[in-house]
Amino acid sequence: ARVVDLVKNWVTVYLGNFVGSILLAGLSFAAGSYLVFDGSVAARALQIATSKTNLSFSDALIRGILCNWLVCLAVWIAASAEDTTGKILAIIFPISAFVAMGFEHSVANMFMIPFGMMIGGDPALVANAGVDMVKLNLAGLVSNLIPVTIGNIIGGAFFVAYLYNIPLTATQSVLMVLTSVLLTYSAPGIPSSALLVALPLYPQRTRAMSVSS
């Protein structure tokens, strides 16, 4: 894929997730689901939202890298599973790890911070949560999403997609060289270029069959 197509896909998905997250936050607020358990859910939501908007740029960036490293690793592992059960089991541990360790995911924050802003309109809930609302606003949302999004891109694109592609590419190159040598010395009647052209298709075909199954 071309870089321009990649960027176009990222922008479209990012904006779509943002709109969907705001919509979900609004519906959740309208439903009053945050009021259950005597407002303890609202208090926890406010605490999470304010903690996110109070992160420094470097903290948000690093947590974003670590988060999407685990998220993309979950996708990578799930793609290798052959059935639905395997795919579910594959994503549980990486996703649970990033949530438990408090890492930052831009799409999750698109919901959590606006949801906290909506709940923060009730002074009684804010007092019950014991939080500082100074940074829980639109500026706080933007200041969180920028470093977290950059970190998510680094974590997913570099630490998973790029680094994991290196051994695959190296292995493919070694196989092509070995095949050429074998054909040259053991089967001189067969042109080595024939298999060298077809060989790069095998890893792609294998991965496609794994995902489709």
Side-chain angles (χ1 to χ4, degrees), residues 78 81-92:
E82 296 184 352
D83 53 34
T84 303
T85 302
K87 295 179 186 299
I88 293 174
L89 291 174
I91 68 173
I92 288 176

Side-chain angles (χ1 to χ4, degrees), residues 105-180:
H105 196 277
S106 58
V107 177
N109 292 358
M110 289 175 187
F111 166 83
M112 203 69 236
I113 296 176
F115 189 50
M117 292 167 59
M118 296 174 190
I119 297 173
D122 188 327
L125 294 175
V126 174
N128 183 47
V131 296
D132 183 358
M133 295 287 293
V134 174
K135 293 186 178 180
L136 188 57
N137 48 39
L138 183 59
L141 172 63
V142 174
S143 66
N144 173 272
L145 287 181
I146 290 175
V148 170
T149 301
I150 295 172
N152 287 167
I153 292 173
I154 295 172
F158 178 77
F159 284 101
V160 177
Y162 176 73
L163 292 185
Y164 276 60
N165 185 61
I166 293 175
L168 289 176
T169 304
T171 301
Q172 184 174 329
S173 299
V174 170
L175 288 174
M176 291 175 67
V177 172
L178 289 176
T179 301
S180 177

